[in-house]
């Protein structure tokens, strides 16, 4: 075994290198966040909740931490999580730790933000940047707010930490004096953004260069990142600017995919005098604002438009425009104006530039989500049957709810007639989601229909489908799908095998039904790595109706077995995907302790539709949050009125 890698700490306190902290017991809160734009807002919610919980427990001692420390903690967490997501793109761990006062040192709050890509350096705000819209203030902000900060490198990990002291410097009240002898007030926005009072006469522009501006940007990042529609991003951005930074503003958005000839559309206009908004809008709509790429990301002075000045204004002012960019592409422009002045102060212009960068990131993320959701809906419609077959003497009920993440899911279903008086049913779940899952679903369902109609028995159908999933033809089909997705700007996700090939695991429940003259139905079924079907008898007894077997696409030489049994009038067969059985509430899953069977037992006497509805409601009620996985279930119930004479199934 090689030498253990040494831990290297870079610790800064007023420019000096000092020792690390002790390891005594401290209150600690930690969470893990996905590497997505919404992580910043989630980090702020987590920090706020943790501090509130500790305050409720009397930690730390009353009076040591004030609102100012909360604002700074939210700001540091938001910016460093954003930094980690943008530059590392991995899952981010956030840890909070309270340190008790010791000697002359006051109590302190320590934040640690860890990512899993230490090869990428943390941006400090001074390095050259290929696209300024992609970056926040990073360690420049940490150095401003923290008493001390540092970077810890470990094997496979990089942690940025900051120590915020809890002395009386954080006792800022709502009416605390500003630097110029005036006063500041706290904004009604969530988190208590420290902002100058509204209106041109009351503005403290110097205050925006310090903590007020940093807190504003951090809060704005969280609010903007939570929007998944570009118009909602604009609707959120406008009220953040007016009247805090400007007397009015307007936001234009370029059409997504409309080409260079398409004029940008005016997404919104805001004026501190609401009566002037509708007067300003026509003047701005006459000449859509489109800034040339040569102006870069800096502010561009714009002539004062007609209708911009409120009745009490003097008719003049200064207007600046910024390009909205993301990933090197121009997405629109933001125009702001201030009355009664011939220029906008540098501190405010710099803050506006930082704010517009965040608008660009939010608009870019919203457009990517919209494109992905649109593609997913189109794929989903094409991958699922338009209707399911009706079987003589059998009533069926189907529930299908795709996950709410906007990505095409891997669950699919089918119920179709076959020659020989048979009806086949399928419930499958492809490993993963997105283009890879769509490829497997798009090929597996027609393959199943083809094999079924060729007369292969249930086990033989699974044998052949397993070999097809392992065939090189699937690799070519997947490669083509991935190329299409990459060309469309989608994020490609999936699980790879050890040799780098894309995995194509498929859990499948497949069977056929043959109505018999006596009113019963012969059912033959096989389960390949899928939740087992459950048979409900009229007396309320429940039992599994198949034996577990290995997933499809895993083992090359495998022979799948099937089980046959008769469904008599009143019997119900329940088939579900793991979106039902693995629905989570904390550490518990819905099917723990045969939870699904217990719910099904209470469905005796219900119709197929009633059974499906009761189970669906139980799954939703199992946890407070909505299901985040695809949910599919099929209920097959024999009603005893089978007439197989003259059946034309499969013809």
């Amino acid at each position: 075994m090689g030498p253990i890698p040494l831990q290297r700490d870079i610790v800064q306190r007023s420019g000096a290198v000092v020792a690390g902290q002790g390891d005594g017991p401290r209150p600690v809160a930690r969470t893990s966040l996905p590497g997505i734009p919404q992580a910043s807002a989630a980090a702020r919610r987590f920090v706020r909740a943790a501090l509130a919980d500790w305050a409720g427990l009397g930690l730390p001692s009353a009076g040591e931490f004030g609102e100012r420390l909360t604002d700074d903690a939210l700001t540091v967490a938001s910016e460093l999580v954003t930094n980690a997501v943008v530059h590392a793109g991995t899952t981010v761990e956030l840890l909070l730790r309270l340190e008790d006062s010791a000697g002359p040192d006051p109590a302190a709050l320590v934040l640690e933000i860890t990512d899993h890509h230490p090869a990428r350096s943390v941006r400090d705000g001074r390095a050259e940047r290929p696209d300024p819209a992609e970056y926040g203030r990073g360690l420049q902000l940490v150095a401003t707010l923290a008493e001390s900060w540092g970077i810890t490198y470990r094997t496979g990990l990089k942690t940025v930490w900051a120590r915020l002291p809890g002395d009386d410097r954080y006792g800022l009240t709502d009416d605390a004096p500003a630097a110029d002898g005036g006063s500041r007030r706290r904004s009604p926005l969530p988190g208590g953004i420290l902002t100058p009072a509204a209106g041109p006469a009351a503005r403290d522009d110097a205050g925006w260069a310090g903590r007020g501006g940093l807190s504003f940007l951090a809060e704005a990042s969280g609010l903007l990142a939570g929007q998944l529609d570009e118009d909602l991003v604009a609707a959120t951005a406008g009220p953040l600017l007016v009247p805090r930074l400007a007397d009015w503003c307007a936001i234009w958005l370029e059409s997504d995919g409309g080409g260079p000839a398409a004029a940008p559309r005016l997404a919104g206009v805001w004026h501190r005098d609401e009566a002037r908004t509708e007067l300003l809008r026509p003047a701005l709509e006459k000449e859509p604002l489109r800034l040339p790429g040569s102006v870069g990301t800096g502010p561009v002075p714009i002539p004062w438009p007609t209708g911009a000045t409120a009745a009490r204004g003097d008719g003049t002012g200064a207007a600046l425009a910024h390009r909205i960019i993301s990933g090197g592409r121009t997405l629109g422009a933001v125009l702001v104006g201030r009355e009664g002045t011939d220029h906008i102060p540098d501190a405010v212009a710099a803050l506006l530039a930082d704010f517009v960068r965040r608008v660009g990131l939010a608009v870019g993320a919203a457009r990517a989500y919209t494109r992905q959701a649109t593609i997913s809906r189109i794929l989903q419609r094409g991958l699922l049957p338009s209707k399911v077959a009706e079987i003589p003497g059998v009533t069926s009920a189907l529930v299908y709810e795709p996950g709410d993440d906007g990505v095409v899911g891997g669950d699919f279903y089918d119920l179709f007639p076959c020659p020989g008086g048979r009806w086949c049913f399928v419930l499958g779940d492809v490993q993963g989601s997105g283009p890879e899952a769509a490829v497997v679903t798009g090929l597996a369902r027609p393959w199943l229909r083809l094999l079924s109609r060729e007369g292969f028995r249930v086990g033989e159908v699974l044998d052949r489908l397993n070999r097809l999933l392992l065939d090189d033809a699937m690799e070519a089909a997947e490669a083509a799908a991935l190329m299409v997705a990459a060309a469309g700007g989608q994020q490609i996700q999936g699980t790879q095998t050890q040799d780098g090939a894309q995995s194509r695991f498929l859990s499948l429940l497949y069977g056929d039904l043959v109505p018999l003259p006596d009113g019963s139905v012969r059912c033959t079924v096989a389960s390949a790595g899928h939740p087992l079907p459950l048979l409900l008898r009229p007396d309320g007894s429940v039992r599994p109706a198949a034996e577990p077997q290995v997933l499809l696409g895993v083992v090359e030489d495998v022979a799948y077995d099937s089980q046959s049994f008769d469904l008599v009038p009143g019997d119900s067969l329940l088939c579900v995907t793991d979106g039902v059985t693995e629905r989570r509430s904390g550490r518990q899953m819905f099917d723990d302790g045969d939870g699904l069977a217990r719910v099904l037992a209470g469905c005796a006497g219900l119709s197929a539709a009633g059974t499906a509805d009761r189970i669906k409601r139980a799954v939703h009620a199992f946890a407070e949050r909505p299901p985040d996985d695809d949910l599919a279930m099929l209920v097959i119930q024999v009603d005893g009125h089978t007439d197989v004479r003259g059946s034309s199934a499969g013809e």
Side-chain angles (χ1 to χ4, degrees):
M1 184 176 67
I4 299 175
L6 295 177
Q7 176 176 308
R8 180 165 63 91
D9 286 355
I10 303 174
V11 183
Q12 298 187 9
R13 183 194 300 266
S14 302
V17 178
V18 300
Q21 305 298 325
D23 295 323
R26 309 178 181 95
V28 173
R30 55 168 53 88
T31 188
S32 180
L33 304 168
I36 58 177
Q38 291 79 13
S40 172
R44 294 177 65 83
R45 291 194 298 271
F46 175 79
V47 171
R48 193 188 307 280
L51 295 180
D53 288 344
W54 287 341
L57 296 173
L59 300 170
S61 300
E64 290 189 86
F65 288 173
E67 286 188 53
R68 187 65 170 269
L69 175 65
T70 300
D71 283 346
D72 287 355
L74 295 172
T75 300
V76 170
S78 179
E79 285 294 290
L80 289 186
V81 168
T82 298
N83 212 345
V85 168
V86 170
H87 301 298
T90 68
T91 300
V92 179
E93 276 71 46
L94 170 60
L95 180 143
L96 302 178
R97 184 175 70 248
L98 281 179
E99 293 186 344
D100 294 332
S101 57
D105 294 330
L109 176 67
V110 177
L111 297 90
E112 298 181 4
I113 291 85
T114 301
D115 65 61
H116 298 262
H117 203 312
R120 298 189 184 180
S121 61
V122 176
R123 302 281 176 162
D124 63 0
R126 294 183 294 273
E128 292 186 4
R129 299 171 177 175
D131 183 357
E134 303 290 345
Y135 302 96
R137 296 194 177 194
L139 297 186
Q140 177 186 356
L141 178 147
V142 178
T144 301
L145 298 182
E147 177 202 52
S148 59
W149 62 271
I151 308 172
T152 301
Y153 294 93
R154 300 180 180 87
T155 302
L157 300 172
K158 178 177 78 271
T159 300
V160 183
W161 60 267
R163 187 176 191 272
L164 306 177
D167 59 16
D168 57 6
R169 284 178 290 172
Y170 292 104
L172 186 68
T173 64
D174 286 349
D175 299 320
D180 61 356
S183 63
R184 296 180 185 175
R185 64 176 176 85
R186 293 197 177 266
S187 162
L189 286 172
I193 304 175
L194 187 62
T195 64
R203 286 196 180 98
D204 170 26
D205 289 334
W208 287 115
R211 294 176 184 268
L214 296 175
S215 182
F216 168 79
L217 287 173
E219 186 72 38
S221 295
L223 293 172
L224 293 170
Q227 310 303 327
L228 296 178
D229 179 272
E230 61 181 79
D231 288 317
L232 291 178
V233 172
T236 302
L240 285 170
L241 290 176
V242 178
R244 295 172 183 83
L245 291 176
D247 294 313
W248 58 267
C249 78
I251 298 177
W252 282 265
L253 294 175
E254 301 278 354
S255 59
D256 191 9
R265 63 183 178 86
L266 187 59
V269 179
W270 296 265
H271 199 293
R272 64 183 176 86
D273 184 350
E274 294 185 6
R276 304 294 299 179
T277 300
E278 295 308 315
L279 297 177
L280 177 60
R281 181 185 295 274
L284 297 175
E285 286 178 332
K286 289 180 181 178
E287 297 184 10
L289 180 62
R290 172 175 280 170
L291 300 177
S294 59
V295 304
T297 59
V300 179
I302 300 294
W304 190 256
T306 303
T309 305
R312 60 180 179 276
D314 62 5
T316 63
L320 287 180
H322 290 79
R323 289 170 64 212
I324 301 173
I325 59 175
S326 179
R329 296 180 56 195
T330 298
L331 305 182
V334 175
L335 177 62
V336 299
R338 279 194 170 193
E339 301 172 2
T341 183
D342 59 359
H343 77 286
I344 294 178
D346 292 343
V348 176
L351 188 63
L352 285 170
D354 270 346
F355 177 82
V356 175
R357 290 167 191 159
R358 285 155 174 78
V359 172
L361 291 173
V363 172
R367 289 191 171 184
Y369 176 86
T370 300
R371 286 193 296 268
Q372 183 170 268
T374 301
I375 292 172
S376 292
R377 286 193 296 269
I378 295 172
L379 285 174
Q380 206 79 63
R381 287 197 298 265
L383 296 175
L384 298 175
S386 57
K387 64 178 182 178
V388 296
E390 296 183 2
I391 307 173
V394 174
T395 303
S396 63
L398 177 70
V399 173
Y400 178 74
E401 295 180 350
D404 60 354
D405 57 3
V407 180
V408 61
D411 286 12
F412 66 96
Y413 59 87
D414 207 350
L415 180 59
F416 55 92
C418 287
R422 296 183 302 127
W423 278 263
C424 295
F425 61 94
V426 179
L427 207 58
D429 186 0
V430 180
Q431 173 269 331
S433 60
E436 308 95 312
V439 168
V440 178
T441 302
L443 295 177
R445 195 169 68 85
W447 280 343
L448 281 165
R449 285 200 170 203
L450 177 62
L451 292 170
S452 300
R453 287 170 174 168
E454 287 296 315
F456 291 106
R457 291 174 294 183
V458 170
E460 294 173 332
V461 169
L462 296 189
D463 292 342
R464 284 160 174 76
L465 182 58
N466 184 58
R467 289 197 291 270
L468 286 167
L469 289 172
L470 294 167
D471 191 79
D472 290 342
M474 273 295 296
E475 296 181 8
E478 279 186 341
L482 295 179
M483 290 176 63
V484 171
Q490 290 193 73
Q491 181 178 1
I492 307 302
Q493 300 175 335
T495 303
Q496 292 186 336
T497 58
Q498 292 182 352
D499 62 1
Q502 200 73 30
S503 60
R504 296 181 293 271
F505 304 152
L506 168 62
S507 76
L508 190 75
L509 184 66
Y510 169 73
D512 64 23
L513 302 168
V514 180
L516 302 176
D518 62 358
S520 63
V521 175
R522 172 59 56 90
C523 178
T524 303
V525 65
S527 175
H530 201 82
L532 298 180
L534 298 178
L535 174 59
L536 171 65
R537 298 293 189 185
D539 62 1
S541 61
V542 176
R543 69 170 180 84
E547 297 293 332
Q549 299 178 85
V550 68
L551 286 164
L552 296 169
V554 178
V555 181
E556 186 169 358
D557 296 324
V558 62
Y560 287 92
D561 297 322
S562 62
Q563 290 77 44
S564 296
F565 52 92
D566 287 345
L567 295 170
V568 299
D571 285 349
S572 298
L573 186 68
L574 172 65
C575 311
V576 302
T577 59
D578 61 10
V580 174
T581 57
E582 297 181 6
R583 164 84 155 127
R584 287 189 172 273
S585 177
R587 296 184 178 181
Q588 290 187 326
M589 292 193 295
F590 183 75
D591 199 33
D592 286 349
D594 294 327
L596 178 59
R598 291 199 305 272
V599 176
L600 180 60
C603 297
L606 296 180
S607 65
T611 300
D613 182 67
R614 177 172 293 186
I615 294 173
K616 181 186 73 172
R617 287 189 284 109
V619 171
H620 278 270
F622 185 69
E624 292 184 1
R625 298 185 60 182
D628 55 5
D629 192 9
D630 295 348
L631 185 154
M633 69 177 75
L634 174 66
V635 178
I636 297 171
Q637 188 176 84
V638 178
D639 57 29
H641 301 291
T642 305
D643 183 2
V644 298
R645 293 173 298 177
S647 174
S648 58
E651 295 181 1

